[in-house]
Amino acid sequence: MTEPVVFRWHQAEITAIAPVTPHVKSVRLRCGLAEQYRAGQHVDVRLTAEDGYQAQRSYSIASAPDGSGTLELMIEGLPDGEVSGWFSDCAEVGDRVELRGPIGGSFSWDGPDGGPLLLAAGGSGVVPLLAMLRRRAQGWREIPAALIYSTRTRAEAIAVAELERLAATDPGVSLHLAITREAGGRRIDAALVAAALARTGPPGKVFICGSNRFVAAASDLIVAAGVAPGLIRTERFGA
Ligand SMILES: Cc1cc2nc3c(=O)[nH]c(=O)nc-3n(C[C@H](O)[C@H](O)[C@H](O)COP(=O)(O)OP(=O)(O)OC[C@H]3O[C@@H](n4cnc5c(N)ncnc54)[C@H](O)[C@@H]3O)c2cc1C
């Protein structure tokens, strides 16, 4: 019997590595999966050591399919993190890893799915939502989109320059930052959700991604603002 495509491991070669924040790196990989995914989906990444030891973790795809034969991941190096630590400290251009996927059909978006889009991210949970905004920019700019993005500090905000540029130049996009650990900081709250909804109008699709705690808080606030729970798709990154 033929193995389903999603369960096959694909060889991938790192073609570029660049810092995104002090703890997050952008890793671009050349891989056969590069044109087969939808914005918001993730891949499993498998590392194999010389002695055969293997470790695998899930990473969201940050890029939108662009015909380059590559896809981009954004990986936050966690203290003592087995896989993220390797990407953070050891990975080099030319290294090979394996990818499996794309995974996560319901947490994905493409232009024909429509909107408006209400997006809410905590920390590295912004990665799949960035992919959705990048996809939207490829040909669906008429669809309103608002991103609520909670991050500990501004320096830790992933792709903040790109997001701010998008919000400043595209009237259909708004960015609502909640910086939690700086002077005057705030967490995601009802006022922030109301400001985002004022820009989009009633959303057709809602995507929330981050830690368990962030996803629970954001879902509660968005439902309290009157959004039907059935429109909401969530993805949890873990701790
Ligand atoms: C669907 C999905 C998509 C994901 N996408 C991304 C992504 O785009 N970018 C990204 O950086 N990560 C992403 N993650 C998290 C990623 O899969 C790993 O859990 C993370 O990189 C830690 O793996 P590690 O091997 O480095 O750490 P481990 O060796 O597994 O753990 C090291 C330490 O970190 C703690 N820890 C484990 N996971 C997390 C976490 N997510 N947050 C905080 N502490 C943690 C552990 O408790 C432990 O103390 C995603 C997870 C899921 C389920």
Side-chain angles (χ1 to χ4, degrees), residues 16-132:
I17 303 177
V20 175
T21 74
H23 300 296
V24 177
K25 284 197 170 152
S26 156
V27 180
R28 206 162 253 286
L29 297 132
R30 181 170 303 286
C31 179
L33 290 177
E35 304 306 328
Q36 300 173 13
Y37 64 91
R38 283 164 56 90
Q41 289 190 293
H42 65 274
V43 289
D44 287 341
V45 178
R46 183 164 75 178
L47 308 182
T48 305
E50 275 174 16
D51 65 2
Y53 173 77
Q54 293 186 318
Q56 71 186 60
R57 300 288 184 276
S58 303
Y59 292 99
S60 296
I61 304 170
S63 47
D66 60 6
S68 67
T70 68
L71 54 79
E72 182 186 21
L73 306 179
M74 289 184 175
I75 300 179
E76 178 177 10
L78 296 178
D80 302 324
E82 191 173 13
V83 172
S84 68
W86 182 80
F87 277 103
S88 197
D89 304 331
C90 308
E92 290 178 4
V93 170
D95 284 349
R96 287 175 179 275
V97 302
E98 290 169 288
L99 302 186
R100 181 170 74 172
I103 304 166
S106 71
F107 199 88
S108 72
W109 180 83
D110 199 2
D113 300 344
L117 283 174
L118 178 63
L119 311 175
S124 54
V126 76
V127 175
L129 309 186
L130 176 64
M132 292 178 191

Side-chain angles (χ1 to χ4, degrees), residues 24 40-42 58-62 74-76 78 107 119-133 147-152 156-159 163 207-212 214-215 233-239:
V24 177
Q41 289 190 293
H42 65 274
S58 303
Y59 292 99
S60 296
I61 304 170
M74 289 184 175
I75 300 179
E76 178 177 10
L78 296 178
F107 199 88
L119 311 175
S124 54
V126 76
V127 175
L129 309 186
L130 176 64
M132 292 178 191
L133 289 173
L147 171 64
I148 299 168
Y149 182 15
S150 174
T151 165
R152 282 178 297 224
E156 288 172 272
I158 292 172
L163 292 168
F207 294 96
I208 306 174
C209 187
S211 64
N212 289 326
F214 176 83
V215 169
R233 300 280 175 274
T234 62
E235 186 147 273
R236 294 165 168 83
F237 275 12

Side-chain angles (χ1 to χ4, degrees), residues 115-221:
L117 283 174
L118 178 63
L119 311 175
S124 54
V126 76
V127 175
L129 309 186
L130 176 64
M132 292 178 191
L133 289 173
R134 287 172 164 180
R135 182 64 178 157
R136 176 190 165 283
Q138 287 176 338
W140 289 276
R141 285 181 187 267
E142 73 282 4
I143 297 175
L147 171 64
I148 299 168
Y149 182 15
S150 174
T151 165
R152 282 178 297 224
T153 63
R154 196 185 154 80
E156 288 172 272
I158 292 172
V160 70
E162 176 178 342
L163 292 168
E164 285 182 333
R165 194 168 51 246
L166 190 61
T169 57
D170 184 334
V173 176
S174 64
L175 174 65
H176 308 269
L177 285 178
I179 312 260
T180 59
R181 296 202 190 157
E182 282 177 1
R186 72 190 290 189
R187 296 191 172 277
I188 179 172
D189 56 20
L192 212 59
V193 171
L197 286 170
R199 291 293 301 269
T200 58
K205 306 273 172 196
V206 183
F207 294 96
I208 306 174
C209 187
S211 64
N212 289 326
R213 209 167 65 156
F214 176 83
V215 169
S219 303
D220 287 350
L221 286 163

